[in-house]
Amino acid sequence: VSTLPGDAADSVQPAAAATLPERVRLGETAAEAELVTAFRPGLVVMLYLRTRDRGLAEELAHDVLLAVLEALRAGKLREAERLGGFVHGIARNLMNNHFRRQSAAPRLEPLDAHLERLPTPPAEERELQERRAVVRRAIEELEGQDRSVLSLTLVEGLKPGEIATRLGVSPEAVRMRKSRALRRVTERVGALLRTPARGPLKDGGRRA
Amino acid sequence: MSCSMSRDQGRAARFIEGELPEEEHEAFERHFLECPECLALMQALAELPAVLSEPRPVVVPARRWRPIGLAAFAAVAASLVLWLGIRTPDNTTVLRGAPQAVVELLPLPAPLEGIPSLTWAPIPAANRYRVDVFSEDGRTVWTREVDHPPALWPTDVPRVVGLYRWRIEALAAGTVIARSPLGQIEIAR
């Protein structure tokens, strides 16, 4: 059994990851914690981008990690190099199951819909605010209508045809502006994240 | 910082846009689950909706309002209707080749106790009307459903100085049966 130096996030390095499934199978509690720390942020963002629901993404990520740990404890994965794909596969299955259940059952309002969310831990909150500051800077550099198109697409979930009606331009112009705006924001955010001064967030919110 | 994928901004943008083929989309997901650099980029881009939703600087609240360019707008709309449209027995206008009738927007009436109101020609088949008011950049400012015209500017929505666009959708049994073109209204200081 090998141990991982430094932050748990380092466990995604190939040499260290090679031992993780086996360590979990052997019942090493620290290995379970490392796995959760390594994969949770990625799972949350992946599931959020799929579901557009932060609470649901957190919930599903929790379920995925439980299912992964259960499978690893039962020795269902021996090849450590397949761990990422294994986690992704379970995430995709649980998400698909969720959507199937949701479409089959009548839509119910979540019980906690009107309750305040639990406060985010200070460190996570700080990272979130730093991320938003980066995105804010990137957005500030967009032309007004590009920003509007992005907002109507990502916030209001409108299709190009509907946006075109609202803004009085052609759907093709909306598509072009949307792609251009996203490309520019992505480039700018990427550049800002690569700036050395950014520190804590340059590696996915994990400490380097 | 050595991941070549994180520097492929086009791919990341198309991923966020949902434009990657499913197989490529999943491959990128598998990648950023284990790539801290790409994960950082995705975590930041995932905040786009939250940041775009943030309120923008508020201008001084309005004291009064006035419609602008209504005569010009009505003239153009009327010309279009004459050119494209035919009148149906229920007095709605149906555009040739278009699936829906058009709700005719009427000149903005004088404010009721200082509150702007929007009005339109009723459509006999409609039992509800959805009123959408958008900011100049197309964002929804408020939406309400009413049984009949007019619709008053809601008291809980600040009347921030600026130009707005508005639209009426006529509903019958919850289905949109007619829609207006965009009208314009200005909330003035």
Side-chain angles (χ1 to χ4, degrees):
Chain A
V1 175
S2 67
T3 54
L4 300 177
D7 192 281
D10 294 335
S11 62
V12 294
Q13 297 300 319
T19 66
L20 203 49
E22 185 62 10
R23 289 168 58 208
V24 172
R25 190 184 70 80
L26 293 171
E28 194 186 316
T29 314
E32 295 192 354
E34 283 169 20
L35 185 136
V36 169
T37 308
F39 284 101
R40 187 179 166 278
L43 281 170
V44 170
V45 78
M46 167 195 157
L47 292 163
Y48 171 66
L49 290 170
R50 288 271 190 170
T51 62
R52 303 286 173 189
D53 180 331
R54 208 174 290 272
L56 177 61
E58 298 266 359
E59 207 174 293
L60 284 172
H62 177 78
D63 293 349
V64 171
L65 288 165
L66 283 181
V68 168
L69 287 173
E70 201 173 307
L72 294 185
R73 285 177 200 142
K76 290 185 181 170
L77 177 77
R78 297 298 178 101
E79 306 92 330
E81 66 277 7
R82 288 182 48 221
L83 182 57
F86 186 72
V87 172
H88 180 266
I90 289 181
R92 193 186 49 194
N93 289 343
L94 287 186
M95 186 180 60
N96 290 341
N97 289 345
H98 168 81
F99 285 127
R100 265 195 292 275
R101 278 198 308 273
Q102 198 184 38
S103 62
R107 189 176 170 79
L108 298 174
E109 195 168 347
L111 281 175
D112 63 349
H114 303 296
L115 300 178
E116 279 188 30
R117 289 207 179 285
L118 289 173
T120 313
E124 278 187 34
E125 181 62 30
R126 194 183 59 244
E127 286 173 0
L128 181 70
Q129 293 310 325
E130 286 185 27
R131 260 178 223 124
R132 288 188 178 172
V134 165
V135 174
R136 221 170 275 128
R137 279 180 64 188
I139 287 176
E140 277 167 11
E141 293 171 20
L142 289 179
E143 284 174 30
Q145 202 167 57
D146 283 7
R147 182 193 162 116
S148 301
V149 167
L150 212 50
S151 175
L152 293 169
T153 303
L154 297 176
V155 180
E156 298 203 24
L158 299 182
K159 301 287 179 207
E162 175 76 1
I163 298 172
T165 309
R166 282 200 195 178
L167 298 180
V169 295
S170 71
E172 193 42 51
V174 170
R175 284 188 200 94
M176 198 193 70
R177 282 185 177 277
K178 183 178 75 165
S179 295
R180 183 175 65 190
L182 268 175
R183 204 177 54 246
R184 284 185 179 163
V185 168
T186 306
E187 280 169 7
R188 193 69 189 118
V189 168
L192 288 167
L193 290 174
R194 279 193 295 274
T195 306
R198 289 225 33 78
L201 296 184
K202 65 187 176 185
D203 59 355
R206 302 158 172 167
R207 290 184 305 278
Chain B
M1 293 290 157
S2 57
C3 176
S4 59
M5 267 205 199
S6 76
R7 289 168 194 272
D8 183 355
Q9 318 289 5
R11 182 203 299 266
R14 288 176 65 214
F15 176 85
I16 292 289
E17 208 176 349
E19 293 289 331
L20 285 179
E22 184 58 23
E23 206 172 301
E24 227 177 300
H25 189 97
E26 289 194 1
F28 191 57
E29 283 177 342
R30 279 195 296 273
H31 170 75
F32 75 66
L33 275 181
E34 297 190 276
C35 170
E37 200 174 335
C38 288
L39 174 58
L41 182 62
M42 288 301 119
Q43 283 179 313
L45 293 176
E47 296 306 320
L48 265 170
V51 174
L52 286 164
S53 306
E54 289 172 352
R56 296 163 97 172
V58 175
V59 194
V60 184
R63 294 208 182 108
R64 60 186 179 83
W65 69 285
R66 65 184 165 86
I68 61 150
L70 191 66
F73 169 77
V76 172
S79 311
L80 275 173
V81 167
L82 285 173
W83 182 55
L84 293 168
I86 53 173
R87 300 299 279 184
T88 61
D90 66 358
N91 209 32
T92 60
T93 302
V94 180
L95 298 184
R96 287 195 186 104
Q100 281 178 337
V102 172
V103 179
E104 187 187 351
L105 302 181
L106 298 178
L108 298 169
L112 299 171
E113 295 175 357
I115 301 173
S117 65
L118 309 168
T119 192
W120 57 94
I123 292 198
N127 56 1
R128 295 280 284 171
Y129 297 90
R130 184 183 300 133
V131 185
D132 292 309
V133 173
F134 310 114
S135 60
E136 255 197 305
D137 62 6
R139 295 207 290 180
T140 303
V141 177
W142 57 269
T143 296
R144 292 288 189 280
E145 283 192 18
V146 294
D147 292 333
H148 50 72
L152 297 181
W153 190 286
T155 49
D156 58 336
V157 179
R159 297 196 293 279
V160 178
V161 171
L163 279 173
Y164 297 86
R165 295 189 177 93
W166 60 290
R167 179 182 71 185
I168 300 297
E169 287 177 323
L171 308 170
T175 304
V176 177
I177 57 166
R179 184 176 285 141
S180 75
L182 286 174
Q184 204 170 41
I185 178 173
E186 182 186 19
I187 301 291
R189 211 176 277 270

